[in-house]
Amino acid sequence: MTHDATQTMPPSRPIWARTRVRPLVLVLALAAIVLTGCSSDPKTDFPEGSISVIANADIGTGHSRILIGVVGPDGARLGSPETLLSVVVAPASRPEDTITIQPVWTWIIEDVIGLWRAELELDEAGRWLLAVVPEEGPAPAIAQFLVNEQTAAPGIGDPAPSLPTPTVSSGPIESITSDQEPDLRFYQTSLDQAIASGRQTVVVFATPAFCSSAACGPLLDITKEVATDFPDVEFIHVEVYLGINEPDFVPDGNHLAPAMGPDFWNLPSEPWVFVIDKSGLVSARFEGVMAGAELRKALG
């Protein structure tokens, strides 16, 4: 796994998309298919030429949480909580076996930009199709995405990879997090210590200052807000990169934190939030974007 932050992101791609592609992650090939029978009312949220995109980098069979965006022909990110739509999903091998879902809007940055999330069961690996169906107006082009037999990152029920992570005892706070307003609670305990303690643990992998999407800072902030209501839970932030305050630092694969790599959490993107139960097993996982209510529910 590599994180190549030296590449630039084309302006027409959604801000949450990764700047790199690998076989086990997101397929952004988009079918040039537009659903028929829709109005061409220019006042609709989705003008002609819009496309659907899948914002996940790690989808496996079984229960999945899919993140969905719509991008206009000019590259604008479209949608809002008021946009009424449904989502239809089917495996490419069985396009007649459709699943219809009512997705939930989730802000990336409050009142600025967001996407929809949908939870569903994916019963086979391979290529899948997803159509966004607005209540009125033209539908965006259908998206294709890849479902793997297993996710790259730990899945629900998997043992949480245990390793030492930086804490305030390791050095100055500015050397272990790029968060400009760090919550010191998130840097008191190493991840291996938290897992060994038998306490419920939340770990956030994010790099607020060097994120390749707009989601790292907001996701960490949401987690900090939730943490105030769960004093008995361990909360840990793991910065994606090492050496962030060194003069020659660049956010590239040479500075990637060990926790991100294939020997441990094997994360194909950032940011992520994982909930670890008292037995050291992953009980919830949130890629990219998360509502505070989702984390609260996962913590019980």
Side-chain angles (χ1 to χ4, degrees):
M1 184 191 71
T2 60
H3 282 238
D4 188 354
T6 64
Q7 299 181 33
T8 58
M9 187 176 300
S12 62
R13 293 183 65 191
I15 60 173
W16 55 86
R18 298 295 303 160
T19 58
R20 55 190 175 76
V21 177
R22 48 182 255 176
L24 293 179
V25 299
L26 179 66
V27 174
L28 284 177
L30 299 172
I33 302 171
V34 178
L35 300 182
T36 60
C38 296
S39 163
S40 59
D41 180 1
K43 296 180 180 178
T44 184
D45 287 279
F46 305 143
E48 294 283 0
S50 298
I51 59 174
S52 306
V53 294
I54 308 301
N56 300 74
D58 192 24
I59 303 174
T61 55
H63 187 80
S64 295
R65 178 178 177 270
I66 305 296
L67 303 176
I68 306 149
V70 176
V71 179
D74 60 352
R77 285 74 181 180
L78 306 177
S80 74
E82 288 73 40
T83 306
L84 301 178
L85 56 80
S86 57
V87 170
V88 179
V89 178
S93 63
R94 297 179 284 115
E96 70 281 2
D97 291 343
T98 59
I99 305 168
T100 301
I101 313 147
Q102 300 299 319
V104 178
W105 178 263
T106 307
W107 289 111
I108 300 174
I109 302 174
E110 187 75 22
D111 297 326
V112 176
I113 191 169
L115 44 67
W116 290 272
R117 68 177 195 271
E119 297 193 29
L120 69 160
E121 296 292 328
L122 302 174
D123 62 3
E124 69 173 56
R127 188 167 56 93
W128 283 65
L129 308 175
L130 181 143
V132 171
V133 184
E135 189 172 83
E136 61 179 36
I142 291 173
Q144 301 184 39
F145 62 99
L146 183 64
V147 176
N148 299 292
E149 286 287 355
Q150 295 182 325
T151 56
I156 294 175
D158 289 341
S162 177
L163 78 162
T165 55
T167 66
V168 287
S169 63
S170 309
I173 188 67
E174 60 270 16
S175 70
I176 60 174
T177 178
S178 63
D179 187 3
Q180 296 301 302
E181 297 181 352
D183 182 337
L184 293 181
R185 175 182 172 185
F186 281 58
Y187 311 96
Q188 298 296 322
T189 305
S190 176
L191 181 57
D192 60 336
Q193 296 171 337
I195 294 173
S197 73
R199 299 180 69 184
Q200 195 174 30
T201 299
V202 174
V203 57
V204 187
F205 297 92
T207 180
F210 307 105
C211 203
S212 61
S213 72
C216 290
L219 186 69
L220 181 55
D221 287 343
I222 288 170
T223 309
K224 289 190 289 187
E225 292 174 5
V226 173
T228 61
D229 295 329
F230 292 88
D232 295 329
V233 174
E234 292 279 8
F235 283 85
I236 296 171
H237 168 223
V238 178
E239 175 68 37
V240 170
Y241 299 106
L242 300 177
I244 57 175
N245 61 347
E246 296 174 358
D248 60 347
F249 170 76
V250 289
D252 60 14
N254 294 326
H255 292 88
L256 199 66
M260 298 287 293
D263 292 335
F264 295 104
W265 287 83
N266 196 30
L267 301 181
S269 61
E270 92 282 327
W272 282 83
V273 172
F274 291 89
V275 179
I276 305 167
D277 68 18
K278 295 178 181 179
S279 300
L281 304 179
V282 173
S283 59
R285 49 177 254 157
F286 304 101
E287 179 185 359
V289 179
M290 177 191 72
E294 291 185 277
L295 182 54
R296 292 177 189 277
K297 181 179 179 181
L299 290 173

